[in-house]
Amino acid sequence: MHQEVVQKEINPINGFIMLFIGLVGMIGSIFLFIWGCIMAAEETNVGLGATFFIGGVILFIVFLIVLCGLKVVKPNEALVLTLFGNYYGTILKPGFFFVNPFVSYVNPVYQNRITSQTKKVGIKENSIEVSGMTLGKKTVSLKSMTLDNGVQKVNDVQGNPIIIGAVVIWKVVDPTKAVFNVEDYAEFLSIQADSTIRNIARLYPYDDLEQEENADNTERTLRGSSVAIANDMKEELDRRVACAGLDIEEIRITHLAYSEEIAAAMLQRQQANAIIAARQKIVDGAVGMVKMAIDKLGEEEIVLLDEERKAQMVSNLLVVLCSNKDTQPIVNSGSIY
C-alpha cells in the first residue's frame, strides 16, 4: 500500500557553532589522551592515567561523530534526510547546518547514477567518485531544468507517420514527494513526457490539407497550432507528475516533420497547392486588368469593338497576362477586319 509522506521542514542548528564545539572538543580529547599516557607512565598514577587515556579516546570518537552531522545546502537546493529508515525532515533553506549525525540523505537520482557508473567500471557501489567524475549531488536541486528526450515517430489523427520532438522545462517543488513517491523522479519524468507527447500528437492532424478550400476552418493542427497544443501537453504532463512533486513550467515543440516514408509525397502536394494558389491570383489579376482596359477604351472612345473583337481581345490579353513565358507580339499592319 502506498504511504503518503508529508514534507516536514526542519530548522537545524547553525553549523559554525557546532564546528567550533567539535574542533575544541577534539583538541581537548587529544590533550586528555596525551596527559593520560604521561600519567600512566608514572607508577603512582597508573589508574588515573588509564582513566584519562580511555576518556580521551571516547571523547575524540564522540566529537568526531558530532562533526559528521555538519551539512551544507546551496541556494535552490534541498536536503531530504532519514533516520534509521524513517523520514526525519527536509532542509529547504541554504546554509551550513548541524543535524543528527546518524541521519542519512535520500536522493534516488544521485544513488542510481552512482550505481550505473560503478557497474560500468566494475567497482563497489558505495564509491562516490569514479575516475574523477562527479556523479551527482546528495541534495535535490530546486532549479529549473530542461529535459530533451530527442524525437520520436508517431501517427497523427489521420494516420500519417510524423516525427515530433519537444523540450520540457521543469523543476522540483516538493523534494520529499520526489524522493519517496517514485523510484527515480528524473526517469519518471522522462517516461511520462514521452507518453504525453505521443498521446497528444495523436489527437491532431499534422496539417490541414483542405485549408485552401475552407478558409473558415478552425481545426487545430500540429503545424499551425503548435503553441496551443504544447500548452495541452504541459497541462497533461503537469497532472501526471504532480504525485512526484514536480512542476512543469513549459513545453516547446522543437521538431516537427513528416516521416521520411511520406515526406516526398506530402512535399509534392504542398507544391501543387502553392502553384494552384498562385495561378488563381494571376487569373484574378488578369481578369481585372482586361476589364479595366476594355472599359477605358469604351469610355475614351478610342476604338469601338463589336462583341467578336472584344472576345478576341480578351483572349489575347489573358494569354499575355497569364502566360509564364514572355510573349512574342505580332503587329497587324492591315485592317483588323
Side-chain angles (χ1 to χ4, degrees), residues 168-235:
V168 180
I169 312 299
W170 65 285
K171 66 179 180 179
V172 178
V173 293
D174 191 326
T176 303
K177 285 185 177 181
V179 301
F180 288 122
N181 285 2
V182 293
E183 180 66 23
D184 187 329
Y185 60 87
E187 183 179 359
F188 176 77
L189 173 65
S190 176
I191 295 174
Q192 293 298 329
D194 278 348
S195 176
T196 299
I197 293 172
R198 179 179 295 273
N199 291 338
I200 297 296
R202 291 169 55 187
L203 301 178
Y204 302 96
Y206 176 87
D207 202 357
D208 185 5
L209 300 178
E210 307 298 332
Q211 184 174 2
E212 295 295 333
E213 299 177 6
N214 186 7
D216 297 330
N217 191 6
T218 58
E219 182 182 5
R220 282 185 177 182
T221 63
L222 294 172
R223 189 174 68 90
S225 308
S226 59
V227 176
I229 294 175
N231 290 333
D232 293 343
M233 294 179 179
K234 172 187 175 300
E235 294 176 2

Side-chain angles (χ1 to χ4, degrees), residues 42-308:
E42 300 178 2
E43 296 181 357
T44 56
N45 296 321
V46 173
L48 185 59
T51 302
F52 286 168
F53 176 84
I54 296 173
V57 173
I58 294 175
L59 288 177
F60 183 85
I61 295 174
V62 169
F63 284 110
L64 183 63
I65 294 175
V66 168
L67 292 179
C68 293
L70 298 174
K71 306 292 182 183
V72 178
V73 181
K74 298 179 182 179
N76 287 325
E77 291 183 355
L79 189 63
V80 182
L81 303 171
T82 59
L83 180 63
F84 304 124
N86 296 318
Y87 174 56
Y88 180 77
T90 303
I91 303 176
L92 296 175
K93 56 185 179 181
F96 183 50
F97 305 107
F98 172 79
V99 294
N100 190 322
F102 296 100
V103 298
S104 57
Y105 68 91
V106 182
N107 187 353
V109 175
Y110 172 75
Q111 295 165 339
N112 291 343
R113 191 173 300 177
I114 289 177
T115 302
S116 62
Q117 292 290 341
T118 52
K119 286 181 178 179
K120 292 180 181 179
V121 295
I123 62 177
K124 296 181 179 179
E125 293 186 2
N126 57 1
S127 300
I128 299 179
E129 186 173 346
V130 179
S131 302
M133 295 185 297
T134 302
L135 301 182
K137 297 181 179 180
K138 297 180 180 180
T139 55
V140 178
S141 176
L142 304 180
K143 303 174 185 177
S144 295
M145 292 173 280
T146 302
L147 171 67
D148 185 0
N149 281 348
V151 298
Q152 54 182 319
K153 182 184 292 187
V154 301
N155 291 332
D156 66 1
V157 70
Q158 297 174 346
N160 298 320
I162 61 173
I163 304 296
I164 187 171
V167 295
V168 180
I169 312 299
W170 65 285
K171 66 179 180 179
V172 178
V173 293
D174 191 326
T176 303
K177 285 185 177 181
V179 301
F180 288 122
N181 285 2
V182 293
E183 180 66 23
D184 187 329
Y185 60 87
E187 183 179 359
F188 176 77
L189 173 65
S190 176
I191 295 174
Q192 293 298 329
D194 278 348
S195 176
T196 299
I197 293 172
R198 179 179 295 273
N199 291 338
I200 297 296
R202 291 169 55 187
L203 301 178
Y204 302 96
Y206 176 87
D207 202 357
D208 185 5
L209 300 178
E210 307 298 332
Q211 184 174 2
E212 295 295 333
E213 299 177 6
N214 186 7
D216 297 330
N217 191 6
T218 58
E219 182 182 5
R220 282 185 177 182
T221 63
L222 294 172
R223 189 174 68 90
S225 308
S226 59
V227 176
I229 294 175
N231 290 333
D232 293 343
M233 294 179 179
K234 172 187 175 300
E235 294 176 2
E236 175 68 15
L237 183 59
D238 200 21
R239 182 184 61 82
R240 290 190 178 194
V241 301
C243 63
L246 308 180
D247 177 61
I248 307 302
E249 297 181 342
E250 185 180 5
I251 293 183
R252 295 181 182 178
I253 297 177
T254 58
H255 184 88
L256 183 64
Y258 280 114
S259 181
E260 58 183 5
E261 299 97 295
I262 64 170
M266 290 301 177
L267 179 60
Q268 290 179 353
R269 175 153 190 167
Q270 291 175 354
Q271 290 175 341
N273 290 336
I275 292 173
I276 293 172
R279 289 294 183 184
Q280 288 177 346
K281 290 187 177 296
I282 292 174
V283 171
D284 291 340
V287 171
M289 293 175 67
V290 170
K291 182 178 183 301
M292 181 180 64
I294 294 176
D295 292 342
K296 283 289 183 179
L297 290 174
E299 293 174 1
E300 300 294 336
E301 296 183 353
I302 297 174
V303 62
L304 298 177
L305 300 175
D306 58 15
E307 295 301 323
E308 181 181 354

